PDB file of all heavy atoms in Angstrom:
ATOM      1  N   VAL A   9     -18.338  -2.402  21.467  1.00 82.00           N
ATOM      2  CA  VAL A   9     -17.088  -1.948  22.012  1.00 82.00           C
ATOM      3  C   VAL A   9     -16.659  -0.670  21.316  1.00 82.00           C
ATOM      4  O   VAL A   9     -16.132   0.267  21.971  1.00 82.00           O
ATOM      5  CB  VAL A   9     -16.006  -3.076  21.948  1.00 82.00           C
ATOM      6  CG1 VAL A   9     -14.667  -2.544  22.316  1.00 82.00           C
ATOM      7  CG2 VAL A   9     -16.434  -4.218  22.826  1.00 82.00           C
ATOM      8  N   LEU A  10     -16.810  -0.651  20.027  1.00 80.00           N
ATOM      9  CA  LEU A  10     -16.407   0.623  19.257  1.00 80.00           C
ATOM     10  C   LEU A  10     -17.220   1.757  19.708  1.00 80.00           C
ATOM     11  O   LEU A  10     -16.710   2.913  19.785  1.00 80.00           O
ATOM     12  CB  LEU A  10     -16.514   0.367  17.720  1.00 80.00           C
ATOM     13  CG  LEU A  10     -15.576  -0.646  17.157  1.00 80.00           C
ATOM     14  CD1 LEU A  10     -15.909  -0.859  15.643  1.00 80.00           C
ATOM     15  CD2 LEU A  10     -14.133  -0.106  17.252  1.00 80.00           C
ATOM     16  N   GLU A  11     -18.504   1.565  19.960  1.00 81.00           N
ATOM     17  CA  GLU A  11     -19.385   2.621  20.420  1.00 81.00           C
ATOM     18  C   GLU A  11     -18.939   3.153  21.814  1.00 81.00           C
ATOM     19  O   GLU A  11     -18.932   4.349  22.153  1.00 81.00           O
ATOM     20  CB  GLU A  11     -20.826   2.196  20.452  1.00 81.00           C
ATOM     21  CG  GLU A  11     -21.438   2.090  19.106  1.00 81.00           C
ATOM     22  CD  GLU A  11     -22.834   1.438  19.134  1.00 81.00           C
ATOM     23  OE1 GLU A  11     -23.334   1.023  20.238  1.00 81.00           O
ATOM     24  OE2 GLU A  11     -23.437   1.342  18.045  1.00 81.00           O
ATOM     25  N   ALA A  12     -18.532   2.080  22.685  1.00 81.00           N
ATOM     26  CA  ALA A  12     -18.020   2.501  24.020  1.00 81.00           C
ATOM     27  C   ALA A  12     -16.791   3.271  23.922  1.00 81.00           C
ATOM     28  O   ALA A  12     -16.569   4.315  24.656  1.00 81.00           O
ATOM     29  CB  ALA A  12     -17.848   1.192  24.821  1.00 81.00           C
ATOM     30  N   ILE A  13     -15.911   2.900  22.978  1.00 76.00           N
ATOM     31  CA  ILE A  13     -14.645   3.658  22.817  1.00 76.00           C
ATOM     32  C   ILE A  13     -14.978   5.099  22.341  1.00 76.00           C
ATOM     33  O   ILE A  13     -14.403   6.096  22.835  1.00 76.00           O
ATOM     34  CB  ILE A  13     -13.717   2.956  21.785  1.00 76.00           C
ATOM     35  CG1 ILE A  13     -13.201   1.683  22.416  1.00 76.00           C
ATOM     36  CG2 ILE A  13     -12.546   3.901  21.360  1.00 76.00           C
ATOM     37  CD1 ILE A  13     -12.418   0.742  21.548  1.00 76.00           C
ATOM     38  N   SER A  14     -15.948   5.287  21.364  1.00 75.00           N
ATOM     39  CA  SER A  14     -16.233   6.554  20.855  1.00 75.00           C
ATOM     40  C   SER A  14     -16.887   7.479  21.987  1.00 75.00           C
ATOM     41  O   SER A  14     -16.779   8.654  21.848  1.00 75.00           O
ATOM     42  CB  SER A  14     -17.050   6.500  19.652  1.00 75.00           C
ATOM     43  OG  SER A  14     -18.377   5.960  19.953  1.00 75.00           O
ATOM     44  N   ARG A  15     -17.495   6.779  22.986  1.00 77.00           N
ATOM     45  CA  ARG A  15     -18.036   7.545  24.097  1.00 77.00           C
ATOM     46  C   ARG A  15     -16.930   7.916  25.107  1.00 77.00           C
ATOM     47  O   ARG A  15     -17.274   8.616  26.096  1.00 77.00           O
ATOM     48  CB  ARG A  15     -19.095   6.765  24.824  1.00 77.00           C
ATOM     49  CG  ARG A  15     -20.383   6.612  24.050  1.00 77.00           C
ATOM     50  CD  ARG A  15     -21.487   6.012  24.847  1.00 77.00           C
ATOM     51  NE  ARG A  15     -21.156   4.746  25.454  1.00 77.00           N
ATOM     52  CZ  ARG A  15     -21.390   3.554  24.957  1.00 77.00           C
ATOM     53  NH1 ARG A  15     -22.087   3.467  23.787  1.00 77.00           N
ATOM     54  NH2 ARG A  15     -21.096   2.457  25.670  1.00 77.00           N
ATOM     55  N   GLY A  16     -15.721   7.434  24.873  1.00 74.00           N
ATOM     56  CA  GLY A  16     -14.639   7.793  25.733  1.00 74.00           C
ATOM     57  C   GLY A  16     -14.354   6.865  26.933  1.00 74.00           C
ATOM     58  O   GLY A  16     -13.627   7.121  27.788  1.00 74.00           O
ATOM     59  N   GLU A  17     -14.982   5.656  26.849  1.00 75.00           N
ATOM     60  CA  GLU A  17     -14.741   4.639  27.914  1.00 75.00           C
ATOM     61  C   GLU A  17     -13.390   4.022  27.700  1.00 75.00           C
ATOM     62  O   GLU A  17     -13.238   3.226  26.714  1.00 75.00           O
ATOM     63  CB  GLU A  17     -15.903   3.578  27.900  1.00 75.00           C
ATOM     64  CG  GLU A  17     -17.266   4.225  28.214  1.00 75.00           C
ATOM     65  CD  GLU A  17     -18.364   3.167  28.089  1.00 75.00           C
ATOM     66  OE1 GLU A  17     -18.075   1.945  28.198  1.00 75.00           O
ATOM     67  OE2 GLU A  17     -19.536   3.587  27.878  1.00 75.00           O
ATOM     68  N   ARG A  18     -12.469   4.382  28.458  1.00 70.00           N
ATOM     69  CA  ARG A  18     -11.110   3.961  28.338  1.00 70.00           C
ATOM     70  C   ARG A  18     -10.856   2.419  28.399  1.00 70.00           C
ATOM     71  O   ARG A  18     -10.060   1.836  27.668  1.00 70.00           O
ATOM     72  CB  ARG A  18     -10.216   4.652  29.270  1.00 70.00           C
ATOM     73  CG  ARG A  18     -10.164   6.141  29.134  1.00 70.00           C
ATOM     74  CD  ARG A  18      -8.856   6.713  29.396  1.00 70.00           C
ATOM     75  NE  ARG A  18      -8.780   8.154  29.174  1.00 70.00           N
ATOM     76  CZ  ARG A  18      -8.417   8.712  28.084  1.00 70.00           C
ATOM     77  NH1 ARG A  18      -8.003   7.933  27.092  1.00 70.00           N
ATOM     78  NH2 ARG A  18      -8.383  10.012  27.945  1.00 70.00           N
ATOM     79  N   LEU A  19     -11.622   1.801  29.261  1.00 74.00           N
ATOM     80  CA  LEU A  19     -11.428   0.319  29.434  1.00 74.00           C
ATOM     81  C   LEU A  19     -11.990  -0.447  28.176  1.00 74.00           C
ATOM     82  O   LEU A  19     -11.574  -1.606  27.996  1.00 74.00           O
ATOM     83  CB  LEU A  19     -12.120  -0.160  30.646  1.00 74.00           C
ATOM     84  CG  LEU A  19     -11.572   0.402  32.022  1.00 74.00           C
ATOM     85  CD1 LEU A  19     -12.372  -0.122  33.129  1.00 74.00           C
ATOM     86  CD2 LEU A  19     -10.104  -0.015  32.103  1.00 74.00           C
ATOM     87  N   ALA A  20     -12.812   0.143  27.385  1.00 76.00           N
ATOM     88  CA  ALA A  20     -13.356  -0.538  26.208  1.00 76.00           C
ATOM     89  C   ALA A  20     -12.242  -0.881  25.206  1.00 76.00           C
ATOM     90  O   ALA A  20     -12.329  -1.899  24.568  1.00 76.00           O
ATOM     91  CB  ALA A  20     -14.449   0.345  25.538  1.00 76.00           C
ATOM     92  N   SER A  21     -11.172  -0.024  25.154  1.00 72.00           N
ATOM     93  CA  SER A  21     -10.158  -0.392  24.190  1.00 72.00           C
ATOM     94  C   SER A  21      -9.412  -1.624  24.477  1.00 72.00           C
ATOM     95  O   SER A  21      -8.952  -2.360  23.624  1.00 72.00           O
ATOM     96  CB  SER A  21      -9.143   0.835  24.037  1.00 72.00           C
ATOM     97  OG  SER A  21      -8.502   0.936  25.276  1.00 72.00           O
ATOM     98  N   GLU A  22      -9.411  -1.981  25.818  1.00 76.00           N
ATOM     99  CA  GLU A  22      -8.783  -3.308  26.225  1.00 76.00           C
ATOM    100  C   GLU A  22      -9.682  -4.490  25.795  1.00 76.00           C
ATOM    101  O   GLU A  22      -9.179  -5.554  25.623  1.00 76.00           O
ATOM    102  CB  GLU A  22      -8.632  -3.318  27.713  1.00 76.00           C
ATOM    103  CG  GLU A  22      -7.582  -2.281  28.243  1.00 76.00           C
ATOM    104  CD  GLU A  22      -7.592  -2.211  29.771  1.00 76.00           C
ATOM    105  OE1 GLU A  22      -8.118  -3.169  30.498  1.00 76.00           O
ATOM    106  OE2 GLU A  22      -6.933  -1.234  30.260  1.00 76.00           O
TER     107      GLU A  22
END
Side-chain angles (χ1 to χ4, degrees):
V9 171
L10 291 173
E11 288 172 357
I13 290 172
S14 69
R15 288 190 304 266
E17 296 178 23
R18 297 212 178 267
L19 295 179
S21 64
E22 294 174 13

